[in-house]
């Protein structure tokens, strides 16, 4: 029997493209113009030295500027301009990425207001708030207690220690629906800058001055607190080493050129080669074209854009390392309730007892649930309507009905109307009720109950007593006597409904080499049934916080990176231990402090997309690094023949692009080297297309696309540029 899957209410799916790409926001051309002033400011050597590759380019640009002033020519000044543009375009890539974050920070600043707080003096739990002093929110310290009433702004991050209130958090989450915050439990955390809509709460401030949640969000999305990740640092070291290698290789060109010129005295001088060797401008142009300027220019923008893609989905990453770790995750721990299932049990099937029709059972189940406002009760009414076409009735339509509410003692609920009593509830309770009224439940009903329990569902038995004379029923739950006929009508199958598309998402995870583990407090039998239906790889049943922590440590000891979600104080140790710990914004302050990401939408399912964004970040960085190194090959074929073909005519065979002249060949390579940075900014910000697949297939695809593309594209680009600039003065 197939089980229905429903979309989680209140959680719109995160944006995903039809082609499987994790969407990342488009580049507004206006951002290039708006980011230009920041790019110019980044030309300051005190700022640029942090990027070794581009710092070398800037030094080269400054050196060639001096040479161009000393020996001016169109070729020299054109080369100088494009070398400076190379540095500027690299700064522009980073400035555009940071500019997107600054736009989001401006929105956050709008939520951060100069709020006046009422600081309570001498507050004690349970004691009435008798006095307070008025202070600015910035003067509040950790541990201060404030009182906030309806219509007021919460002055700082903290935990509700008294009261319950409806809070508008739209300034932080963008969600207009208010949320309930109350003392105790996992819904006690409040965020500064949000507004209390009703009632009154007492809040204990947990933040230090200037370190509120909004302050940290602003700093992170602006990039002010962005620290380079270990992988980014390692790649920077590699790029710096390659730069040194190419610097030494370029320097050795000069003695070779002087010697070659001396043994060929009849060769005329050119702008590229004279008796004194290769000109300084050409040497710098060669160095800039050979070092990995493309990835050096885009590396920082790729990291910032990765965090930006999370912010677009209302996820705040506390560090770039967390985003990177998400891309390397190999084990996902997912809570069953709210993540894999809808969180509320839903009516899936009506199983009638022998001699009872399904329609009769459905009508009785609906009737007994009309006054049941629980999610389970509402789902019974809806299922009867959808599956059997029964009109949904309101309790008010049954004017003479006597409703029997659910209690912990009776463990059942129902209605008495027109001489008929109907009850639904726990199997043992309803069957005892039927026996007490003279009925005899059949063994088949017990078998149905056992089968539903064995499949991981929850059975609710429906029973009735009919033919009761008025006044003889003794009330909704009183004795009926012998006038009635009691019987069991059948069983309602309640089950945790797996969210729509979860099985497919877990299949994607499996193709990516990620193991999924469902965490639940259910018994092993129920847990296995839900795990099989959802398609997870493993499950942990009857899980305690200690069990979660032990499982994470066990996975990490095997060399795997672990991601998990949590919202309660009891989840804090596991969130802190996990490599990627995503805390829900509705959770406690302890959980948010322990995790390295916070989901402002409090949607646990988003963990899967966070992993995909992390993988996209790593793939983008690897693909553009491959492209950057591969496109050096075409520059060899452009510049080396241009420098030495006059003294070694055989090198002209390397001029496969048939470039017009040595000057146009060198300038074309420099121009392409600068333009390709601007051309790749949208890809760096949006991210390389990512489809769930295993690592070897992704590597093969990216090597073919970006490795081979990095070889072919420069040949085409340099040749097209040469066809244009060969007509400029001094190019032939």
């Amino acid at each position: 029997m197939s089980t229905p899957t429903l979309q989680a209410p209140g959680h719109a799916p995160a944006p995903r493209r039809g082609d499987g790409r994790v969407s990342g926001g488009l580049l507004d051309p206006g951002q290039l113009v708006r980011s230009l002033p920041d790019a110019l400011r980044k030309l300051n050597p005190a700022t640029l030295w942090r990027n070794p590759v581009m710092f070398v380019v800037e030094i080269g640009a400054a050196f060639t500027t001096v040479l161009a002033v000393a020996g001016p020519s169109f070729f020299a000044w054109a080369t100088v301009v494009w070398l400076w543009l190379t540095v500027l375009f690299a700064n522009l890539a980073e400035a555009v990425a940071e500019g997107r974050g600054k736009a989001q920070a401006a929105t956050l600043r709008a939520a951060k207001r100069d709020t006046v707080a009422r600081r309570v003096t001498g507050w004690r739990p349970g004691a009435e708030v008798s006095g307070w002093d008025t202070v600015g929110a910035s003067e509040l310290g950790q541990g201060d207690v404030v009182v906030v009433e309806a219509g007021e702004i919460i002055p700082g991050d903290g935990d509700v220690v008294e009261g319950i209130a409806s809070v508008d958090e739209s300034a932080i989450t963008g969600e207009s629906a208010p949320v309930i915050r109350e003392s105790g439990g996992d819904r006690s955390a409040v965020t500064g800058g949000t507004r209390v809509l009703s009632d009154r709460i007492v809040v204990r401030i947990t933040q230090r001055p200037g370190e509120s949640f909004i302050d940290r969000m602003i700093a992170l999305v602006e990039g002010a607190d962005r620290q380079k990740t270990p992988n980014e640092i390692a790649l920077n070291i590699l790029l710096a080493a390659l730069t040194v290698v190419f610097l030494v290789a370029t320097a050795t060109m000069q003695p070779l050129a002087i010697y070659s010129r001396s043994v060929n005295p009849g060769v005329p001088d050119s702008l590229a080669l004279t008796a004194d060797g290769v000109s300084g401008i050409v040497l710098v142009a060669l160095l800039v074209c050979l070092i990995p300027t493309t990835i050096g220019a885009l590396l920082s923008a790729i990291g910032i854009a990765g965090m930006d893609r999370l912010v677009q989905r209302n996820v705040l990453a506390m560090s770039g390392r967390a985003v990177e770790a998400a891309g390397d995750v190999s084990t996902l721990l997912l809570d069953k309730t709210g993540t894999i299932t809808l969180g509320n049990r839903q009516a899936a099937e009506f199983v009638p007892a022998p001699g009872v029709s399904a329609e009769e059972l459905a009508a009785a189940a609906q009737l007994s649930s009309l006054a049941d406002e629980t999610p389970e009760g509402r789902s019974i009414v809806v299922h009867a309507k959808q599956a059997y076409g029964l009109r949904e009735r309101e309790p008010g339509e049954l004017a003479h009905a006597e409703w029997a509410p659910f209690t912990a003692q009776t463990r059942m609920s129902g209605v008495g109307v027109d001489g008929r009593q109907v009850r639904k509830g726990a199997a043992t309770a309803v069957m005892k009720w039927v026996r007490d009224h003279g009925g005899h439940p059949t063994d088949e009903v017990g078998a149905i109950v056992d089968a539903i329990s064995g499949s991981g569902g929850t059975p609710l038995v429906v029973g009735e007593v009919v033919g009761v004379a008025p006044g003889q029923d003794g009330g909704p739950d009183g004795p009926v006597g012998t006038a009635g006929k009691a019987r069991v009508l059948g069983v309602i199958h309640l089950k945790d409904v797996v969210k729509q598309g979860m099985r497919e998402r877990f299949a994607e995870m499996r193709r990516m080499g990620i193991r999924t583990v469902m965490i639940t407090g259910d018994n092993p039998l129920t847990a296995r049934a839900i795990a099989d239906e959802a398609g997870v790889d493993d499950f942990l049943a009857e899980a305690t916080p200690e069990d979660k922590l032990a499982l994470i440590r066990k996975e990490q000891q095997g060399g795997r990176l672990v991601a998990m979600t949590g919202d309660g104080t009891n989840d804090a140790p596991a969130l802190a231990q996990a490599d990627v710990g995503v805390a829900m914004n509705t959770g406690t302050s302890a959980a948010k402090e322990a995790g390295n990401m916070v989901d402002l939408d409090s949607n646990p399912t988003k963990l899967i997309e966070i992993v995909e964004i992390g993988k996209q970040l790593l793939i983008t960085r690897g693909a553009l690094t491959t492209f950057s190194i591969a496109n050096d090959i075409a520059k060899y074929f452009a510049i080396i023949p241009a420098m030495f073909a006059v003294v070694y005519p055989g090198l002209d065979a390397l001029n496969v692009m048939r470039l017009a002249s040595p000057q146009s060949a060198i300038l074309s390579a420099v121009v392409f080297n600068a333009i390709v940075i601007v051309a790749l900014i949208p890809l760096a910000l949006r991210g390389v297309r990512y489809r769930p697949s295993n690592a070897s297939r992704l590597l093969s695809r990216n090597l073919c696309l970006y490795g081979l593309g990095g070889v072919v594209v420069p040949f085409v680009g340099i040749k097209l540029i040469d066809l244009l600039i060969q007509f400029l003065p001094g190019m032939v």
Side-chain angles (χ1 to χ4, degrees):
M1 178 186 68
S2 62
T3 302
T5 57
L6 301 176
Q7 182 64 43
H11 289 301
R16 293 174 61 85
R17 294 169 60 101
D19 58 10
R21 176 187 295 183
V22 179
S23 58
L26 300 177
L27 173 65
D28 176 10
Q31 284 183 309
L32 294 175
V33 178
R34 292 191 295 270
S35 301
L36 194 56
D38 286 337
L40 290 170
R41 283 191 287 270
K42 289 177 181 291
L43 290 174
N44 185 349
T47 301
L48 201 60
W49 72 268
R50 295 181 180 87
N51 187 334
V53 177
M54 300 318 300
F55 186 57
V56 169
V57 177
E58 185 175 47
I59 293 174
F63 177 63
T64 56
T65 302
V66 174
L67 295 179
V69 171
S73 68
F74 180 86
F75 169 74
W77 280 111
T79 305
V80 166
V81 168
W82 280 101
L83 288 176
W84 280 112
L85 285 175
T86 301
V87 184
L88 182 64
F89 292 161
N91 292 342
L92 187 63
E94 184 175 7
V96 168
E98 291 177 350
R100 291 159 64 126
K102 288 177 180 177
Q104 293 157 347
T107 303
L108 291 171
R109 280 197 179 92
K112 185 182 178 184
R113 314 170 191 177
D114 293 330
T115 307
V116 175
R118 292 186 292 167
R119 184 170 55 191
V120 179
T121 55
W123 179 84
R124 296 188 309 276
E128 184 178 350
V129 175
S130 57
W132 59 76
D133 57 322
T134 302
V135 298
S138 58
E139 299 176 40
L140 292 174
Q142 199 172 24
D144 284 346
V145 176
V146 297
V147 60
V148 190
E149 296 187 349
E152 297 180 348
I153 302 295
I154 297 175
D157 299 350
D159 289 323
V160 178
V161 293
E162 182 180 297
I164 180 172
S166 175
V167 179
D168 175 12
E169 295 187 342
S170 59
I172 306 297
T173 66
E175 176 59 54
S176 59
V179 295
I180 299 299
R181 292 289 176 261
E182 60 184 334
S183 60
D186 295 339
R187 296 189 299 173
S188 61
V190 291
T191 304
T194 57
R195 181 187 295 274
V196 174
L197 298 179
S198 67
D199 303 290
R200 187 187 78 160
I201 52 176
V202 178
V203 178
R204 177 179 284 115
I205 301 298
T206 58
Q207 71 174 61
R208 298 182 183 90
E211 296 183 8
S212 70
F213 191 63
I214 293 183
D215 288 327
R216 286 183 292 154
M217 287 178 69
I218 291 171
L220 287 166
V221 300
E222 281 187 326
D225 282 357
R226 197 187 86 85
Q227 297 179 344
K228 291 184 177 179
T229 65
N231 284 352
E232 205 172 338
I233 293 172
L235 185 53
N236 261 318
I237 293 172
L238 173 62
L239 297 180
L242 287 174
T243 301
V244 172
V245 169
F246 283 121
L247 181 62
V248 172
T250 303
T252 61
M253 292 288 183
Q254 189 68 310
L256 174 63
I258 294 172
Y259 171 77
S260 300
R261 193 67 177 74
S262 66
V263 298
N264 294 279
V267 175
D269 289 346
S270 66
L271 289 174
L273 184 65
T274 67
D276 296 325
V278 180
S279 68
I281 290 177
V282 173
L283 278 178
V284 172
L286 174 63
L287 174 63
V288 170
C289 289
L290 294 185
I291 62 178
T293 51
T294 305
I295 186 60
L298 299 173
L299 184 58
S300 180
I302 293 170
I304 295 172
M307 295 183 70
D308 174 65
R309 282 194 290 277
L310 283 178
V311 172
Q312 290 175 30
R313 290 158 179 81
N314 267 4
V315 176
L316 175 64
M318 299 304 181
S319 69
R321 183 172 186 173
V323 187
E324 206 170 71
D328 284 329
V329 159
S330 51
T331 302
L332 279 184
L333 304 186
L334 301 165
D335 277 332
K336 181 205 74 174
T337 304
T339 305
I340 296 174
T341 66
L342 290 180
N344 296 314
R345 294 172 299 174
Q346 305 284 312
E349 185 184 14
F350 295 141
V351 184
V356 179
S357 68
E359 289 76 11
E360 187 178 2
L361 171 61
Q366 184 196 59
L367 183 64
S368 65
S369 303
L370 289 178
D372 188 347
E373 294 299 330
T374 65
E376 291 86 353
R378 303 318 300 161
S379 76
I380 292 171
V381 174
V382 171
H383 185 67
K385 178 181 177 181
Q386 293 178 343
Y388 297 94
L390 297 178
R391 182 178 67 85
E392 184 175 352
R393 293 180 290 181
E394 299 296 330
E397 296 182 34
L398 304 173
H400 304 293
E402 296 183 67
W403 302 98
F406 177 87
T407 66
Q409 290 74 30
T410 63
R411 295 191 299 152
M412 59 183 178
S413 62
V415 63
V417 60
D418 298 333
R420 181 189 186 200
Q421 295 285 332
V422 181
R423 297 290 184 272
K424 76 167 194 309
T428 54
V430 174
M431 287 197 282
K432 180 179 183 299
W433 179 79
V434 169
R435 291 191 187 98
D436 288 345
H437 292 81
H440 302 283
T442 62
D443 293 338
E444 287 86 346
V445 174
I448 296 171
V449 169
D450 292 340
I452 293 175
S453 298
S455 68
T458 300
L460 293 182
V461 173
V462 180
E464 71 168 1
V465 179
V466 295
V468 182
Q472 292 185 350
D473 57 357
D477 292 306
V480 177
T482 58
K485 177 184 178 184
R487 61 173 179 162
V488 171
L489 298 176
V491 185
I492 303 170
H493 183 181
L494 293 182
K495 68 180 305 179
D496 281 312
V497 179
V498 175
K499 289 182 179 179
Q500 184 177 11
M502 294 306 297
R503 192 174 188 88
E504 290 74 15
R505 296 294 291 275
F506 291 142
E508 289 180 4
M509 296 291 107
R510 202 169 294 112
R511 288 197 298 272
M512 293 155 55
I514 296 175
R515 178 170 169 263
T516 53
V517 180
M518 183 184 76
I519 308 296
T520 178
D522 292 337
N523 63 70
L525 191 63
T526 301
R528 180 175 297 280
I530 297 173
D532 291 342
E533 182 180 346
V536 296
D537 298 309
D538 202 354
F539 65 90
L540 178 65
E542 298 176 342
T544 64
E546 293 76 16
D547 293 334
K548 292 182 185 180
L549 191 59
L551 178 60
I552 292 172
R553 287 173 174 166
K554 178 182 177 182
E555 293 288 326
Q556 290 172 333
Q557 287 171 0
R560 291 178 287 271
L561 297 187
V562 180
M564 71 161 288
T565 62
D567 59 1
T569 300
N570 59 355
D571 289 325
L575 286 169
Q577 180 70 34
D579 301 282
V580 178
V582 183
M584 301 295 101
N585 190 46
T586 55
T588 62
S589 297
K592 289 193 281 189
E593 288 292 333
N596 49 22
M597 291 188 187
V598 177
D599 178 17
L600 302 181
D601 294 334
S602 300
N603 178 8
T605 310
K606 205 180 291 182
L607 177 61
I608 298 173
E609 191 167 0
I610 290 172
V611 170
E612 292 176 343
I613 291 173
K615 287 190 175 295
Q616 186 186 42
L617 169 67
L618 298 180
I619 291 170
T620 301
R621 185 185 297 158
L624 292 184
T625 301
T626 303
F627 183 90
S628 177
I629 295 174
N631 72 21
D632 285 345
I633 295 175
K635 299 167 192 174
Y636 300 148
F637 285 89
I639 296 181
I640 300 298
M643 292 171 58
F644 293 108
V646 290
V647 292
Y648 297 112
L651 287 177
D652 192 55
L654 295 179
N655 186 14
V656 294
M657 290 177 279
R658 300 290 97 189
L659 303 178
S661 68
Q663 295 93 313
S664 71
I666 294 168
L667 186 57
S668 296
V670 172
V671 171
F672 176 83
N673 197 62
I675 289 177
V676 75
I677 294 173
V678 177
L680 290 175
I681 289 177
L683 183 61
L685 298 182
R686 186 181 66 245
V688 170
R689 176 176 299 190
Y690 168 70
R691 292 191 181 97
S693 183
N694 58 49
S696 60
R697 182 173 297 179
L698 286 173
L699 178 63
S700 300
R701 175 181 176 274
N702 287 332
L703 282 177
C704 291
L705 185 58
Y706 296 97
L708 186 59
V711 172
V712 174
V713 169
F715 278 95
V716 176
I718 291 173
K719 178 61 179 177
L720 291 176
I721 295 171
D722 179 75
L723 291 175
L724 295 175
I725 69 171
Q726 63 179 317
F727 301 108
L728 297 176
M731 289 297 104
V732 179

